[in-house]
Each structure stands twice: as structure tokens, then as C-alpha cells.
Amino acid sequence: MTGMELAKAYYETYGKQMLEEEFPKYVNRIAVGLAGEGSECFGFDDAISRDHDFGPSFCMWLTKEDYQVISEDLRRAYNMLPKDFYGYPPRKEEPYGGERVGVLCIDDFFCRQIGRGDAEFTLMGWLSLPETRLATVTNGQVFTDPLGQFTAIREKLLAFYPEDVRLKKMAARAAIMGQAGQYNYARCMRRGETVAAQYALSQFVINTISMVFLLNRRYMPYYKWMHRGMLTLPLLGEEVGGLLKELVENGVSMNAWEGLEISSEPQALNSADRNVLLIEQICRLIADELRRESLSSETNSFLTHHGISIMSRIRDPKIRSLHLMEG
């Protein structure tokens, strides 16, 4: 049983009755579900996940006004529910994890992750929001929300970034993919700077995954789950994800660069290094998709140039005037 299935069964078996019998005046004002921090909220939990922050539990989100009135009584009632359920032991909380389940204030839940409880952001505000935080507040499931306030905020966020913000982020991802992957990885390897080359690969991987999420209009989860989440995306998810897996598992090797002069044709592709070919293959796939969606008019596969082309499609002058790699 997954953490989400366990949470829903636990609510339906014990939580629903507790709310109806002990809080009849508020039962139609409380949103219940499981969302936020934790692999079970993304649906990626497994046997390894069960050593912390896993067990029978669910979230109850209250308005600020209701939270001030009933939070203590509701928390007390929630803590009185049976701790063992369906053969699973009580939830083991990590001391630094914060309040992830139980009684939560709607404003606090969103403010903790994205700085506002109403999701009313300016374009620059949207631009500064980390994708991973947005993924955290929009993941999981809402089992019931009679009042609708919690769901309305989530739906506003799930509508995704305003288009100018999405374009700016895509331009930045394209620029860094080109700079770190297509340009600097090979230069570092020519110099024998394997640590710098590995870092360039890491930057390429992170920005590639983010680019694929942006193309799919989905928020990228935090680093532990970004690749796994990418594999579920319909557009380029599995194809690019597979190439990235091979790229990462290759690591870096100086064997393919032995005998090359540092100053000899620095921009020429070294086809002896499989990583170089994988990077180019990934960048061609991204470039083809950008052209297909009319997001770029560049004809080559160097993604930094595509980033500049994407920038020209941004309408807001302030966003368009930002540095290419900002966002």
C-alpha cells in the first residue's frame, strides 16, 4: 500500500467519523488530503521511504479564522485516533521535518513554501518562485474540500507560470544547457579538469530536466525526485530521461581525451567521448521541440542561441530586459 492509499484509507476509516461527530459545525469547512513535503505526496514512496515520516496520517487544512478557534481541540482529537492501522506502525516523525500532517492552517501551508497564502504574485514574484516549492504545494491529493478555499489556491498555482515567466525560465535553461553542456564540458575535459567537467554535467542535467518540465507545463520536484518525475511526463520525458541516465552513469573519463592538444580546434566535437554525443543528442531533441512549438527560430542545435530567440518572444519589457541566464 502506498502512503497516499494509506492516508486515504485512514481518513475514511477514522478521520471522517471524527470530524462528523466531534466537529459538526466545521466539518463542511475543512479540507482533507495529503500534500506537501515527503515522497508519499509525490507518489514515489517505497520500502526505503518508510524509515521516516511515514505511517497512518492525513492533513486537515483550515482557514485562518477556523484555525484560531478549533486547532487545539482538533489536534487533540486527531492525536487520539488509533496509531496502528492496516498492519502499519505509528508514523515516525523526524525532529526537523516540521508539521507535515495533522492540523494545518491554509495560509501557513502556502506561506511556508511560496511566501504567500493567496498565490497573488506579480510577474517578478512568479519568476523568483522555485519550481520545487510550487511542486510541493500542488502535489498529492485532496480527498475532500467542501469550502473550496484550499483547492482554489492550488488550482491557481496548477494553471502554471504566466507565459512570459515560463519563457524566461526556458530561455535561462537553454542558455545554461548550451553553456555548461555543449560548451564548457568539453573545454574542461581538454584541460583535464575532471571536477569542473563533472560539475558542468551536473548543471546540464539539472537544467535539462527543468526544461522538460517547463515544456510540459509542470513544476519540477526537488532533486531526489526530479529525474523520476521527469520520466512520467508525456513530452520528451522518457526519451530525454533515458539519455540523461546514460550520461550520468558514464561519469567522466580522460581516456577519450588523451592525445588531444588543448589548443587544437577547441570547438570541434570529440566523438570519442560518448558524453559529448549524448549532450548533442539531447540538445537536438530540445531544439527540435522549441522550433515545433514556435518558441525559437534558430536553425542550429546550440541551445544558448535558442535561449536568445526565446527571449525575443517575451512581451513584458522588464522580464525581457533581464540577463539571459536569470530565472
Side-chain angles (χ1 to χ4, degrees):
M1 177 177 281
T2 67
M4 187 62 64
E5 292 168 339
L6 182 64
K8 190 169 186 179
Y10 188 58
Y11 160 69
E12 291 179 344
T13 302
Y14 295 118
K16 186 176 181 181
Q17 181 179 355
M18 178 265 289
L19 290 175
E20 291 174 345
E21 293 182 356
E22 299 185 42
F23 301 91
K25 294 182 179 179
Y26 292 92
V27 64
N28 289 325
R29 297 180 57 82
I30 300 173
V32 182
L34 184 66
E37 297 169 294
S39 55
E40 70 275 17
C41 298
F42 287 102
F44 296 147
D45 54 300
D46 53 24
I48 296 175
S49 309
R50 295 173 187 173
D51 64 339
H52 70 286
D53 293 318
F54 184 91
S57 56
F58 54 84
C59 302
M60 293 173 286
W61 294 283
L62 282 65
T63 66
K64 185 184 299 184
E65 296 76 18
D66 292 346
Y67 187 86
Q68 292 172 348
V69 176
I70 67 166
S71 60
E72 291 186 13
D73 290 338
L74 184 56
R75 187 172 289 111
R76 190 178 301 111
Y78 175 79
N79 289 335
M80 291 295 291
L81 296 179
K83 299 296 187 291
D84 298 281
F85 182 67
Y86 276 17
Y88 290 92
R91 180 181 173 92
K92 180 182 178 182
E93 301 279 358
E94 287 292 326
Y96 53 82
E99 292 188 352
R100 297 186 176 187
V101 295
V103 183
L104 305 169
C105 176
I106 293 174
D107 278 5
D108 292 346
F109 176 81
F110 288 106
C111 283
R112 178 182 175 185
Q113 296 292 337
I114 61 174
R116 292 188 66 107
D118 57 6
E120 293 292 337
F121 296 99
T122 63
L123 286 180
M124 291 301 293
W126 273 107
L127 190 66
S128 67
L129 283 175
E131 298 160 68
T132 57
R133 296 294 186 90
L134 288 163
T136 297
V137 296
T138 56
N139 65 14
Q141 293 182 24
V142 179
F143 307 148
T144 182
D145 185 9
L147 191 63
Q149 181 173 322
F150 182 73
T151 300
I153 299 170
R154 276 170 58 95
E155 288 179 348
K156 191 184 300 183
L157 295 170
L158 284 167
F160 209 61
Y161 292 114
E163 185 62 6
D164 275 356
V165 173
R166 185 178 82 106
L167 291 174
K168 181 66 197 75
K169 287 181 174 290
M170 292 175 71
R173 303 301 175 268
I176 297 173
M177 288 174 68
Q179 187 73 7
Q182 293 173 287
Y183 184 75
N184 275 328
Y185 168 72
R187 294 171 75 87
C188 293
M189 291 300 290
R190 280 181 180 273
R191 294 189 175 100
E193 294 284 352
T194 53
V195 174
Q198 185 65 69
Y199 185 79
L201 282 182
S202 296
Q203 288 296 302
F204 176 77
V205 169
I206 292 167
N207 281 273
T208 298
I209 295 174
S210 177
M211 172 66 89
V212 173
F213 270 93
L214 289 163
L215 283 168
N216 281 272
R217 290 179 169 81
R218 294 273 299 278
Y219 299 121
M220 180 180 70
Y222 73 117
Y223 72 93
K224 189 165 70 170
W225 301 118
M226 59 174 60
H227 181 258
R228 182 165 174 180
M230 175 194 191
L231 297 176
T232 68
L233 300 176
L235 182 63
L236 296 178
E238 285 192 38
E239 187 173 12
V240 173
L243 296 172
L244 287 178
K245 187 174 187 292
E246 183 181 350
L247 179 66
V248 169
E249 291 178 352
N250 282 343
V252 297
S253 172
M254 286 305 300
N255 292 337
W257 298 87
E258 290 179 356
L260 287 178
E261 297 289 338
I262 289 180
S263 59
S264 63
E265 300 184 59
Q267 303 309 319
L269 293 180
N270 180 9
S271 58
D273 188 337
R274 174 65 176 159
N275 287 347
V276 170
L277 301 180
L278 287 169
I279 289 169
E280 287 303 314
Q281 186 177 353
I282 291 167
C283 289
R284 283 196 299 272
L285 288 169
I286 298 296
D288 288 345
E289 183 59 31
L290 292 173
R291 283 189 290 265
R292 190 187 72 80
E293 296 189 27
S294 299
L295 297 174
S296 173
S297 54
E298 281 294 324
T299 57
N300 60 43
S301 62
F302 185 48
L303 285 187
T304 300
H305 292 166
H306 286 273
I308 296 170
S309 186
I310 294 170
M311 287 284 288
S312 69
R313 288 157 170 77
I314 297 173
R315 295 182 179 183
D316 183 83
K318 188 173 182 180
I319 299 292
R320 193 171 59 245
S321 68
L322 295 173
H323 188 280
L324 175 60
M325 294 185 181
E326 187 172 351

